[in-house]
Amino acid sequence: MSPAPDERERIRAAMERILDSTPRQSNGALTIVALALEAGVPRNALTQRHTDLKNEFYDRVRALGGTPESEQRLRKQIRRLKELRSADAEEIARLKTDVEALVGALHQSMTETGCCTSSSPTAPA
C-alpha cells in the first residue's frame, strides 16, 4: 500500500495539535501511537516510512521538557528490573552461605557418627 500524497502534511499538522495540547482524534499522549492516530495514518508510517518525522516529534517533545510516555514506561521498568536483580543477587549470596554452612554441618555429623570412614566394615560381595 503506497502512502497518501498528503501523509507528511497530515503528520506535521497532527504533531502541532498534539504539542499544542489541542488533539482532535487522539488522547494527546506524547507517543507515536497517538501521533499516528491523530494524523489518521498507520503507526508504521512513522516507524518505517517517515522516521525523520518520528524523530522530529520526539526531539520536540524533549525540547518542551517532556519525556515521551513510552520512554517513561521503559525507564520505570528498567528501575524495577534493576531492583529485582539486586534482590536476586543478595538472595543468591545468602543461599551460597547457607549451602556452605549445611555442607560443613553434614561433614561434621558424618564424622561424629563414623559414617563413611575407612574403619567401617565393607559390605559383602
Side-chain angles (χ1 to χ4, degrees):
M1 179 176 185
S2 62
D6 65 338
E7 193 170 73
R8 291 183 67 82
E9 292 79 21
R10 290 190 343 229
I11 293 169
R12 285 195 184 277
M15 192 182 312
E16 294 303 322
R17 288 193 303 275
I18 287 178
L19 294 173
D20 290 340
S21 299
T22 57
R24 292 185 205 147
Q25 300 177 17
S26 71
N27 63 2
L30 301 176
T31 64
I32 293 302
V33 174
L35 179 59
L37 186 60
E38 185 68 25
V41 298
R43 187 173 59 96
N44 73 345
L46 290 158
T47 60
Q48 296 175 11
R49 291 194 295 268
H50 305 297
T51 55
D52 60 323
L53 294 177
K54 175 191 73 160
N55 294 335
E56 179 185 335
F57 177 68
Y58 280 144
D59 289 342
R60 290 180 65 188
V61 167
R62 285 187 191 92
L64 290 173
T67 303
E69 196 175 302
S70 57
E71 185 176 336
Q72 290 174 359
R73 189 174 56 251
L74 288 172
R75 287 185 185 278
K76 183 178 179 181
Q77 185 176 12
I78 288 169
R79 272 193 308 274
R80 187 177 59 79
L81 291 172
K82 283 182 178 179
E83 290 168 0
L84 288 172
R85 185 171 181 221
S86 176
D88 287 347
E90 290 172 8
E91 184 177 2
I92 288 170
R94 278 193 309 272
L95 291 171
K96 284 182 178 180
T97 302
D98 290 350
V99 165
E100 289 173 9
L102 290 171
V103 166
L106 178 63
H107 177 70
Q108 182 179 357
S109 173
M110 290 173 67
T111 302
E112 289 173 356
T113 60
C115 174
C116 305
T117 60
S118 59
S119 62
S120 62
T122 55

